[in-house]
Structure formats: structure tokens, C-alpha cells
């Protein structure tokens, strides 16, 4: 099941508005249907079925826009699809619900490195290390991404065909 971009945008707007109006729900108050869809989406993502995972996560968020885990999972799907800008946005949504979520901070940091924003990723790493108080896997993952650095820039082929100036066509082309 696919949702139109307008429906997804509306769900995110409603999620953002409701997060500022309502008090934040603890994870144990997330709609169980949304959590079940999140579990199915994680299995689909692990199996490499990114489109199916994305569809399930969109549905999970439509059911309960406070499902922070679904935003984190959407960030993971976007990262797997090599869409770091989208991933950063999904992690930002998770951090709006809980600014101290180390998984969201780490995932956002990795996506920031992929976008070339290494300094911002280092700020996320510092916050993750402060929150963990000891070495934790999210900090290790983000530190490794920072050490690796951003991916190389994509080089595209250039058009090397030359076009003669007007009025100077090749004489052999005339009948």
C-alpha cells in the first residue's frame, strides 16, 4: 500500500503540530498496531525490501505519529536508499519527540557525514558520548562514520561534442 506524497506530508504536518500541542507519549503508550507495523517494517528492511518497509512505516506513523521508533526506522531506510537529506529529516522528527535518543542522534550523525556535514556530526557524537557516559554502540558507529568521512563526490560524464559556430558548417555536409 502506497500513500500519496500529499498524504504523507499531511501526516508529518499533523505529527509536528500534535507534538507541540500534546504532551509527549512514552513509548509504552504508542498504539500497538503502529508498533506491530514497525516490527514488520524492520523485518522487511533487514530483508532488503526497502519499499515495503517504507510503506509499512508510513502506515505506522499515520496510525500513531508519536512512534519515535518508526521515524528512526524511516531514517535507516532513507540511509539504505542513499538519501541522506531525507534521513536527516526523519531523525530530526524522532529527536523532536525525544532530544536525547542516542539512536536518533547517531543515525542523524551518520546521515550528516554522508551529506558532508562532518562538523555537525561531531557535535552529535559529543552529545551521544555525554548521554551514554561509557562507550556505547551508537557512539562507536558514529565515530566510525566520521573517521571514514563523506563519500566521494559523484563525477558525471561531460559532453565533449563540439558544435561548429553558425555560418561555418562543414563543406562536406552540403550536397
Amino acid at each position: 500500500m502506497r500513500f500519496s506524497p500529499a498524504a504523507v506530508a499531511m501526516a508529518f504536518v499533523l505529527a509536528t503540530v500534535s507534538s507541540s500541542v500534546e504532551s509527549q507519549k512514552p513509548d509504552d503508550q504508542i498504539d500497538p498496531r503502529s508498533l506491530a507495523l514497525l516490527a514488520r517494517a524492520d523485518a522487511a528492511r533487514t530483508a532488503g525490501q526497502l519499499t515495503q518497509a517504507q510503506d509499512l512505516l508510513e502506515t505506522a506513523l499515520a496510525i500513531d505519529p508519536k512512534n519515535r521508533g518508526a521515524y528512526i526506522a524511516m531514517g535507516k531506510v532513507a540511509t539504505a536508499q542513499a538519501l541522506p537529506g531525507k534521513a536527516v529529516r526523519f531523525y530530526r522528527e524522532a529527536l523532536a519527540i525525544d532530544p536525547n535518543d542516542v539512536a536518533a542522534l547517531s543515525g542523524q550523525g551518520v546521515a550528516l557525514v554522508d551529506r558532508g556535514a562532518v562538523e555537525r556530526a561531531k557535535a552529535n557524537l559529543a552529545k551521544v558520548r555525554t548521554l551514554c557516559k561509557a562507550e556505547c554502540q551508537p557512539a562507536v558507529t558514529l565515530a566510525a562514520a566520521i573517521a571514514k568521512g563523506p563519500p566521494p563526490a559523484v563525477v558525471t560524464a561531460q559532453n565533449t561534442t563540439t558544435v561548429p559556430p553558425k555560418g561555418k558548417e562543414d563543406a562536406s555536409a552540403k550536397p
Side-chain angles (χ1 to χ4, degrees):
M1 162 178 3
R2 288 287 289 168
F3 289 94
S4 71
V8 173
M10 181 58 98
F12 289 129
V13 167
L14 290 174
T16 305
V17 169
S18 64
S19 68
S20 62
V21 175
E22 297 177 31
S23 63
Q24 295 179 2
K25 291 183 183 179
D27 287 341
D28 62 346
Q29 293 179 358
I30 301 295
D31 189 306
R33 297 172 300 163
S34 182
L35 293 173
L37 288 166
L38 172 59
R40 288 179 48 204
D42 281 339
R45 182 182 52 81
T46 303
Q49 300 167 340
L50 300 178
T51 303
Q52 181 183 6
Q54 183 176 346
D55 291 345
L56 291 165
L57 292 166
E58 288 172 354
T59 304
L61 288 169
I63 291 171
D64 194 338
K66 294 291 187 184
N67 188 341
R68 183 178 74 241
Y71 285 112
I72 293 170
M74 286 288 279
K76 290 178 183 178
V77 169
T79 298
Q81 295 171 326
L83 300 170
K86 215 173 177 181
V88 168
R89 189 179 81 232
F90 287 124
Y91 289 121
R92 186 179 320 121
E93 292 293 334
L95 291 167
I97 296 169
D98 180 2
N100 296 322
D101 187 309
V102 293
L105 285 165
S106 177
Q108 183 184 54
V110 170
L112 287 168
V113 169
D114 288 345
R115 292 190 77 188
V118 177
E119 292 306 313
R120 287 181 56 201
K122 287 178 181 178
N124 277 31
L125 178 59
K127 188 168 183 179
V128 169
R129 285 183 171 156
T130 300
L131 292 168
C132 286
K133 298 192 185 344
E135 199 64 24
C136 60
Q137 189 57 48
V140 171
T141 301
L142 180 51
I146 291 169
K148 183 179 173 188
V154 176
V155 179
T156 59
Q158 294 181 356
N159 184 0
T160 58
T161 306
T162 56
V163 178
K166 276 191 162 189
K168 300 194 180 196
E169 288 87 17
D170 186 9
S172 63
K174 292 185 180 180

